[in-house]
């Protein structure tokens, strides 16, 4: 409804969603609705009211360690304060937004690094297993070759001995 600029229906649906999220004690959903309410008020240029909702979302998001919502709230607060010409607060929230974004980026990088490390170690282990199998197959082939060679030599010695006995 917000994209269709039907703000009354958007507000009604957000209020209903807020009631349902609170009833289910889903604080992440409550935080999301507060951010959406702030967005709705921003589109209507009601900056002071939007700030109230973003602050509420920020408080809940910090309590639940939801970095995405924290980041979004900081960014929206910076924009709202900027529109109200309260540049000092806008700058503070913009700095907090950038710090949160950096933190999220570092967490993502750490997760990717751990994933790559695990993948590397797995591939290395698989390669070692393949080499070990190849080595054991090679040793098994050599062992079988010696056994077959020994049996043939014993058979040849037996035939030579039998031929010697027949000759005598």
């Amino acid at each position: 409804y917000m994209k269709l600029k039907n703000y009354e229906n958007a507000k009604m649906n957000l209020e209903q969603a807020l009631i349902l999220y609170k009833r289910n004690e889903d604080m992440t959903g409550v935080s999301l609705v507060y951010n959406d309410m702030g967005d709705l008020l921003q589109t209507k240029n009601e900056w002071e009211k939007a700030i109230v909702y973003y602050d509420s979302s920020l408080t809940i998001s910090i309590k639940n360690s939801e970095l995405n919502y924290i980041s979004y709230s900081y960014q929206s607060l910076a924009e709202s304060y900027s529109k109200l010409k309260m540049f000092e607060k806008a700058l503070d929230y913009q700095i907090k937004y950038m710090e949160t974004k950096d933190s999220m980026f570092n967490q993502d990088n750490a997760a990717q690094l751990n994933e790559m490390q695990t993948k590397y170690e797995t591939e290395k282990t698989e390669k070692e297993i393949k080499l070990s199998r190849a080595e054991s197959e090679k040793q098994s082939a050599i062992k079988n070759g010696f056994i077959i060679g020994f049996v043939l030599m014993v058979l040849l010695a037996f035939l030579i001995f039998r031929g010697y006995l027949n000759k005598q």
Side-chain angles (χ1 to χ4, degrees), residues 9 16 20 26 68 128-129 161 163:
N9 280 338
Q16 288 175 349
L20 292 173
D26 180 355
N68 286 332
E128 288 174 358
I129 290 171
F161 181 70

Side-chain angles (χ1 to χ4, degrees), residues 57-71:
S57 175
L58 181 62
T59 302
I60 293 169
S61 299
I62 289 173
K63 211 179 276 186
N64 294 323
S65 300
E66 293 284 343
L67 286 180
N68 286 332
Y69 293 153
I70 293 170
S71 171

Side-chain angles (χ1 to χ4, degrees), residues 14-26 30:
L14 285 171
E15 287 170 349
Q16 288 175 349
L18 183 62
I19 291 168
L20 292 173
Y21 281 130
K22 284 183 177 181
R23 185 181 310 152
N24 292 325
E25 298 178 6
D26 180 355
V30 171

Side-chain angles (χ1 to χ4, degrees), residues 5 20 22 37 58 65 73 79 84-85 91 97 102 120:
K5 298 184 181 185
L20 292 173
K22 284 183 177 181
M37 288 290 267
L58 181 62
S65 300
S73 295
E79 183 181 343
L84 291 172
K85 309 270 190 257
L91 178 62
Y97 164 70
D102 287 345
Y120 169 75

Side-chain angles (χ1 to χ4, degrees), residues 22-135:
K22 284 183 177 181
R23 185 181 310 152
N24 292 325
E25 298 178 6
D26 180 355
M27 297 315 287
T28 302
V30 171
S31 178
L32 174 65
V33 171
Y34 283 154
N35 275 331
D36 289 342
M37 288 290 267
D39 291 346
L40 176 64
L41 292 167
Q42 263 192 356
T43 58
K44 296 167 69 176
N45 295 327
E46 296 179 23
W47 307 107
E48 293 92 359
K49 291 179 183 177
I51 288 171
V52 172
Y53 281 105
Y54 290 132
D55 274 331
S56 298
S57 175
L58 181 62
T59 302
I60 293 169
S61 299
I62 289 173
K63 211 179 276 186
N64 294 323
S65 300
E66 293 284 343
L67 286 180
N68 286 332
Y69 293 153
I70 293 170
S71 171
Y72 187 81
S73 295
Y74 281 147
Q75 182 183 27
S76 300
L77 283 165
E79 183 181 343
S80 296
Y81 280 116
S82 174
K83 295 292 184 180
L84 291 172
K85 309 270 190 257
M86 299 173 82
F87 298 116
E88 204 170 296
K89 281 191 172 185
L91 178 62
D92 287 341
Y93 282 113
Q94 187 65 32
I95 290 170
K96 289 178 181 179
Y97 164 70
M98 296 304 292
E99 289 171 350
T100 307
K101 273 302 212 190
D102 287 345
S103 175
M104 289 169 50
F105 180 73
N106 289 338
Q107 283 182 350
D108 288 344
N109 281 349
Q112 286 178 351
L113 185 62
N114 285 338
E115 183 180 333
M116 288 174 58
Q117 181 71 23
T118 303
K119 207 179 227 184
Y120 169 75
E121 288 174 3
T122 303
E123 288 176 2
K124 185 178 174 184
T125 304
E126 287 176 1
K127 197 179 239 185
E128 288 174 358
I129 290 171
K130 284 180 183 178
L131 285 173
S132 175
R133 282 186 188 155
E135 185 65 30

